Amino acid sequence: AAQAEKRERMCVSSGLGKEVPRMSRGEIASSRHDLVIIEDRVYDAARFRWAHPGGPLFVSMFGGRDATLAFQSYHMRAFPHEAMREYLVARLAEGERVVAPCAEHAALSKIVRPLLGAGRGFAPSGQLVKAACVLVAAVAVEASCVFGTRTWLKSGLLGLLFALVGLNVQHDANHGAMFPGAWRNALFGLSQSWIGGSQLMWLQEHVVLHHLHTGDREMDPDAQLAPAMRGYPEASWFPWMRWQAWYLLPLEAGYGAVPVLGAFFEVLCWRHKFDARYALSRLATPWRRRSLAFHLLFYLRFLLIPYAQGQLRKTLATVAVGGFYLAFFFFLSHNFAGVAFADGSSPDGAVAYAPGNSFTRQQTAASSNLGGPALCFINGGLNYQIEHHLFPRVAHSHYPRIAPAVEAFLRGKAPYVHFTGIAHNLASVFLHLNDLAAPPKSH
């Protein structure tokens, strides 16, 4: 009788005609990166990833983690538990936190989906032409630098083009928003590695961490500005932060060194920002060598060849211009006066929100929009951060069209911050940084 009772506690009907064991989050996070959690169910990610329409890498990045809200935000629908029954291997143990889909996001998705048209939110032909032009221009200018004369002007132009590749090509591709098919998104997503970053580490930072835990004081890596700056009241404070609003722009000029140099070593140690909380899933290990190989190829193109030509200093213009452009516009999006921060996320991907908050509300309150369709065309939709965070698998060309519906839905639920111009947005950033510049009272 005791054995039967123990077995009953450890096994449970899946509700799909299949009896499965119970597993704890700790067990999955520590030693079962071949599994993924959706709501209270545990699926075989190692096997399903090869059948995933969006490609195996995306699923692999969530191995050992909770992907409930990631699935919802990317697919805009309920998880198909019935269709996935052959991959079900367990249920979460009793007492474990169960992440439920966001009801508000489901309601908003029903409003937004019809606005996307027959293309289902993927990139229209005009956006694909733009992406191709940016890629061709970047390759042409780099070839001119390598086989012709590398000037400071061309090096700076190449940096700008690399930034535009990051914004207009790899960004949508790595979110699975450019094409319906997986292999084309994967191919264009590799442009992140071509411009000096790491596709693998970008997916970890943005898809697995930042998008799921936006504004979380622990699990959003983009909220961790220390020791350079202080981004929220509970963050560490250092004396130089008194002047953080003054050195923001010069600091952004050096951002390019972070992906160019840091990402290579992050992949080596398998942790974003070298932080154990941000460790990558072991299920993604097969893509590790490819990431490192692309980085070594970049070092050949931008260190060894320029050094042999006696033009190494001019590559600094490429890194500085490209890094500054990306850092400047991204920083505007999540560091403004009134930005909302939250707690409740854990390293295994689980998310819990305080009463009155939700996935949809937190994504909105921790993000902001800037300008309109013209800047969207130039910056690949980075200026529509609210729509992008709510629907990351929607190509950026659709953001201006769905934004009014999103704003109307969120009215009275969460602050929808939309800056009219860059100066307006930058002033709010400086106000935010100045509010955090003074030492805490404990100092």
Side-chain angles (χ1 to χ4, degrees):
Q3 289 180 343
E5 183 180 353
K6 181 178 180 181
R7 183 174 180 273
E8 183 179 353
R9 288 198 305 267
M10 296 185 64
C11 297
V12 64
S13 171
S14 66
L16 300 173
K18 179 180 180 181
E19 191 176 74
V20 293
R22 290 190 181 273
M23 298 183 70
S24 69
R25 285 185 173 276
E27 178 185 358
I28 296 168
S30 63
S31 59
R32 295 302 305 271
H33 285 203
D34 58 319
L35 307 178
V36 65
I37 303 169
I38 303 290
E39 298 169 38
D40 67 334
R41 305 179 191 188
V42 183
Y43 291 95
D44 187 339
R47 192 160 64 93
F48 168 68
R49 59 178 170 169
W50 303 111
H52 181 229
L57 178 55
F58 204 91
V59 174
S60 300
M61 297 299 296
F62 283 92
R65 302 179 61 87
D66 192 304
T68 303
L69 293 173
F71 177 89
Q72 182 179 20
S73 63
Y74 275 82
H75 293 275
M76 301 172 64
R77 58 185 172 89
F79 190 83
H81 290 292
E82 177 65 32
M84 290 287 292
R85 62 188 302 171
E86 67 174 291
Y87 301 103
L88 182 69
V89 297
R91 296 284 287 266
L92 284 179
E94 293 181 4
E96 291 282 3
R97 179 193 302 182
V98 176
V99 177
C102 179
E104 289 175 331
H105 191 277
L108 179 56
S109 295
K110 291 180 180 180
I111 297 171
V112 168
R113 197 179 296 113
L115 302 177
L116 301 176
R120 297 179 296 157
F122 295 108
S125 58
Q127 180 180 329
L128 297 179
V129 170
K130 177 183 68 170
C133 290
V134 172
L135 281 171
V136 169
V139 172
V141 172
E142 183 178 349
S144 176
C145 289
V146 173
F147 300 108
T149 304
R150 188 185 300 267
T151 66
W152 287 103
L153 180 60
K154 283 197 291 186
S155 296
L157 175 60
L158 184 58
L160 177 60
L161 287 169
F162 275 9
L164 295 179
V165 169
L167 296 172
N168 290 280
V169 184
Q170 77 84 21
H171 191 261
D172 272 3
N174 279 321
H175 277 297
M178 185 170 281
F179 303 100
W183 73 267
R184 287 182 293 174
N185 282 320
L187 180 62
F188 279 76
L190 280 172
S191 60
Q192 170 67 6
S193 298
W194 180 258
I195 63 176
S198 164
Q199 180 190 40
L200 201 59
M201 202 54 63
W202 189 93
L203 288 169
Q204 177 69 3
E205 178 183 3
H206 290 276
V207 174
V208 177
L209 296 171
H210 173 61
H211 267 263
L212 189 59
H213 307 294
T214 309
D216 187 88
R217 292 178 179 88
E218 293 292 329
M219 291 309 300
D220 182 358
D222 293 331
Q224 315 307 317
L225 305 180
M229 306 180 77
R230 184 168 176 238
Y232 55 90
E234 296 80 10
S236 300
W237 181 88
F238 297 95
W240 52 83
M241 292 175 178
R242 297 177 188 271
W243 303 280
Q244 61 180 5
W246 294 92
Y247 61 73
L248 167 65
L249 298 181
L251 191 66
E252 289 179 335
Y255 169 76
V258 174
V260 169
L261 299 177
F264 178 79
F265 296 100
E266 287 176 331
V267 174
L268 280 178
C269 77
W270 212 235
R271 295 176 178 180
H272 176 57
K273 288 191 172 182
F274 311 103
D275 193 322
R277 295 173 300 173
Y278 307 147
L280 281 75
S281 169
R282 291 189 292 275
L283 196 59
T285 302
W287 286 268
R288 189 179 196 172
R289 290 183 179 179
R290 186 181 73 178
S291 180
L292 295 172
F294 265 95
H295 239 101
L296 293 175
L297 177 60
F298 181 83
Y299 293 153
L300 171 66
R301 292 157 46 217
F302 276 84
L303 291 179
L304 296 182
I305 291 178
Y307 177 78
Q309 295 173 333
Q311 301 291 325
L312 183 59
R313 288 187 304 164
K314 291 176 183 176
T315 63
L316 295 177
T318 302
V319 175
V321 172
F324 177 81
Y325 196 93
L326 290 171
F328 178 80
F329 282 103
F330 186 80
F331 198 88
L332 295 177
S333 305
H334 299 288
N335 299 275
F336 53 91
V339 62
F341 292 95
D343 299 296
S345 295
S346 60
D348 68 357
V351 181
Y353 296 100
N357 200 5
S358 69
F359 175 77
T360 298
R361 298 185 186 202
Q362 180 58 29
Q363 295 291 332
T364 303
S367 308
S368 68
N369 290 357
L370 167 64
L375 189 59
C376 180
F377 178 83
I378 297 170
N379 278 4
L382 189 70
N383 59 314
Y384 282 92
Q385 279 290 303
I386 295 174
E387 286 68 29
H388 173 59
H389 269 259
L390 291 171
F391 306 107
R393 197 165 166 252
V394 170
H396 68 261
S397 295
H398 301 285
Y399 294 159
R401 183 165 65 255
I402 70 174
V406 173
E407 183 178 10
F409 178 87
L410 292 168
R411 192 171 295 122
K413 298 181 178 69
Y416 186 96
V417 179
H418 194 141
F419 296 99
T420 55
I422 293 176
H424 182 203
N425 198 164
L426 193 58
S428 183
V429 169
F430 287 152
L431 179 62
H432 172 65
L433 293 178
N434 280 324
D435 284 344
L436 297 169
K441 292 182 179 180
S442 60
H443 281 64

